[in-house]
């Protein structure tokens, strides 16, 4: 067994839960999602997913290198430990989960591209992109570095109706218990106040994959992520390289019939007395989102002029950078090292 495989075995406790929760023998074999009170009458969506024709796929088929860890009829679930729950409560208490909002002792810096409706009658129903994935070093236990797709609804309205789903990879000791690169998911229906959580630390996300699960240490060099609203069942589907990972069921949302804003971004957060951590691969614009496709209600691609793309960058060079081109994608990343008392670096408006 290699060192990486050994590390992965130590930090990832696998539970193969019965896919059909109604026939589970006891609560330890059930999917945690079905503990949500709004999912008592939920119809499990397995084979009826409507795949977008223009969905990205990995030409190297890296995902198939991940072994099938569970027997057919079961799914891969990372066991939620007592330590996981303690960390999740700490995150909620300090409100550090909303990585785009500062707290008293923690600063968060974001860079990326946003697609929004700009008060026009444009509704988004999904997005697909190829993400470079790196085993990023130099992120301290008190810091986070995340790369993600964020699908928003109600971002300019009351927090009680801000619904969000997101997925990507991060180094986040407080959430995962180590400083490795993890595949992660998150959801909320009240602007990160009281609802939602990382991965499957609370009821909500329904797991389908036998190979990949939220919270898993991720060792491949890329992700081919797609998040979209299924036109038949209205659930929000998460796919990696054409393999359904799972979905956020429609019942848990109060304002997610479509999306008004989608972001591709990197976020670094750090206590104010520590230099900010690296993002991407630790080099300026060294990481990327490529083959970006934004979908309409029929899951057909929107043309670029409808997407209203806008690049955002909190802290500029030499700490971080981000540049977006409709043809080549989003290039982002940087070594970090910024402190609040420093100037914000060089930021050009694009």
């Amino acid at each position: 067994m290699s060192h990486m495989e050994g590390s992965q075995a130590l930090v990832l406790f696998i539970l193969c839960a019965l896919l059909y929760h109604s026939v589970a023998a006891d609560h330890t074999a059930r999917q945690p999602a079905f503990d949500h009170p709004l999912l008592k009458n939920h119809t499990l969506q397995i084979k009826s997913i409507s795949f977008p024709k223009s969905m990205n796929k990995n030409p190297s088929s890296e995902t198939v290198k991940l072994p099938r860890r569970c027997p057919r009829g079961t799914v891969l679930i990372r066991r939620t430990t007592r330590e996981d729950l303690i960390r999740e409560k700490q995150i909620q208490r300090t409100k550090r989960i909303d990585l785009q909002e500062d707290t008293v002792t923690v600063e968060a810096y974001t860079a990326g591209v946003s697609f929004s409706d700009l008060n026009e009658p444009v509704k988004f129903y999904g997005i697909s992109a190829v993400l470079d994935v790196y085993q990023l070093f130099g992120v301290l236990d008190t810091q986070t570095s995340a790369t993600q797709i964020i699908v928003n609804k109600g971002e300019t309205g009351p927090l009680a109706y801000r619904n969000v789903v997101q997925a990507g990879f991060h180094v986040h000791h407080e959430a995962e218990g180590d400083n490795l690169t993890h595949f992660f998911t998150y959801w909320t229906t009240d602007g990160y106040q009281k609802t939602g959580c990382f991965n499957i630390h609370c009821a909500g996300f329904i797991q389908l994959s036998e190979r990949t699960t939220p919270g898993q240490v991720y060792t491949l060099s890329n992700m081919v992520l797609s998040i979209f609203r299924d036109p038949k069942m209205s659930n929000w589907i998460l796919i990696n390289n054409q393999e359904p990972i799972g979905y956020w069921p429609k019942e848990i949302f109060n304002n997610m019939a479509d999306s008004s804003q989608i972001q591709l971004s990197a976020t670094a957060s750090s206590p104010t007395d520590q230099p900010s951590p690296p993002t991407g691969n630790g080099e300026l614009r060294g990481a990327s989102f490529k083959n970006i496709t934004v979908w309409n209600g029929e899951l057909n691609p929107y043309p670029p002029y409808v997407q209203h793309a806008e690049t955002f960058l909190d802290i500029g060079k030499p700490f971080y950078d981000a540049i977006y081109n409709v043809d080549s994608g989003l290039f982002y990343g940087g070594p970090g090292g910024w402190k609040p008392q420093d100037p914000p670096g060089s930021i050009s408006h694009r």
Side-chain angles (χ1 to χ4, degrees), residues 17-39:
L18 288 174
L19 189 56
Y20 295 96
H21 68 285
S22 59
V23 297
D26 56 69
H27 73 280
T28 61
R30 293 175 57 215
Q31 285 212 40
F34 294 105
D35 292 330
H36 198 293
L38 296 177
L39 299 181

Side-chain angles (χ1 to χ4, degrees), residues 63-70 76 210-212:
T63 303
V64 301
K65 297 178 183 177
L66 292 171
R68 178 177 284 109
R69 299 172 182 266
C70 297
L76 183 67
E210 301 168 352
R211 291 187 174 91
T212 306

Side-chain angles (χ1 to χ4, degrees), residues 33-97:
F34 294 105
D35 292 330
H36 198 293
L38 296 177
L39 299 181
K40 291 182 179 179
N41 299 315
H42 177 73
T43 300
L44 191 63
Q45 182 173 0
I46 305 175
K47 298 181 179 180
S48 58
I49 295 175
S50 301
F51 286 82
K53 295 181 180 179
S54 60
M55 187 171 62
N56 284 307
K57 61 181 179 179
N58 185 352
S60 66
S61 299
E62 251 201 340
T63 303
V64 301
K65 297 178 183 177
L66 292 171
R68 178 177 284 109
R69 299 172 182 266
C70 297
R72 294 190 181 279
T74 66
V75 296
L76 183 67
I77 293 179
R78 179 186 175 184
R79 186 177 68 189
T80 300
T81 65
R82 180 174 179 270
E83 289 74 20
D84 289 330
L85 296 177
I86 292 173
R87 287 193 297 269
E88 187 71 31
K89 288 181 179 179
Q90 177 65 23
I91 291 172
Q92 293 286 6
R93 182 164 57 249
T94 58
K95 295 186 182 297
R96 286 175 58 184
I97 184 60

Side-chain angles (χ1 to χ4, degrees), residues 124-145:
F124 302 120
Y125 291 84
I127 186 168
S128 179
V130 179
L131 290 68
D132 298 332
V133 180
Y134 297 94
Q135 305 303 311
L136 191 61
F137 300 101
V139 182
L140 304 179
D141 290 359
T142 52
Q143 300 176 326
T144 66
S145 181

Side-chain angles (χ1 to χ4, degrees), residues 6 11 24 50 70 81 88 96 110 136 138 165 170 187 192 198-200 230 241 245 273 296 309 317 323:
V11 300
S50 301
C70 297
T81 65
E88 187 71 31
R96 286 175 58 184
T110 62
L136 191 61
V165 297
H170 65 187
W187 68 274
Y192 303 94
F198 277 119
N199 305 327
I200 53 171
D230 185 87
N241 195 28
I245 304 303
D273 61 347
N296 62 18
K317 294 184 289 187
I323 186 170

Side-chain angles (χ1 to χ4, degrees), residues 158-281:
L159 286 177
Y161 295 97
R162 183 185 177 189
N163 289 203
V164 181
V165 297
Q166 60 193 83
F169 66 92
H170 65 187
V171 177
H172 194 324
H173 189 279
E174 192 170 29
E176 307 292 0
D178 59 48
N179 295 93
L180 302 175
T181 296
H182 288 254
F183 169 63
F184 83 94
T185 61
Y186 196 87
W187 68 274
T188 179
T189 61
D190 62 357
Y192 303 94
Q193 295 184 96
K194 296 181 179 179
T195 63
C197 61
F198 277 119
N199 305 327
I200 53 171
H201 293 169
C202 66
F205 183 80
I206 295 179
Q207 173 76 14
L208 295 180
S209 174
E210 301 168 352
R211 291 187 174 91
T212 306
T213 184
Q216 177 179 346
V217 174
Y218 198 86
T219 59
L220 302 184
S221 62
N222 60 41
M223 294 178 177
V224 190
L225 292 185
S226 300
I227 300 176
F228 61 91
R229 184 176 183 265
D230 185 87
K232 295 180 180 179
M233 304 293 288
S234 300
N235 302 313
W236 285 87
I237 312 295
L238 173 62
I239 289 178
N240 184 24
N241 195 28
Q242 297 191 318
E243 179 189 14
I245 304 303
Y247 64 91
W248 296 274
K250 61 184 178 183
E251 291 91 341
I252 66 174
F253 300 108
N254 59 28
N255 185 27
M256 201 70 176
D258 53 68
S259 170
S260 51
Q261 182 194 73
I262 297 177
Q263 293 181 339
L264 308 178
S265 67
T267 302
S269 66
S270 178
T272 55
D273 61 347
Q274 296 175 349
S276 64
T279 60
N281 66 350

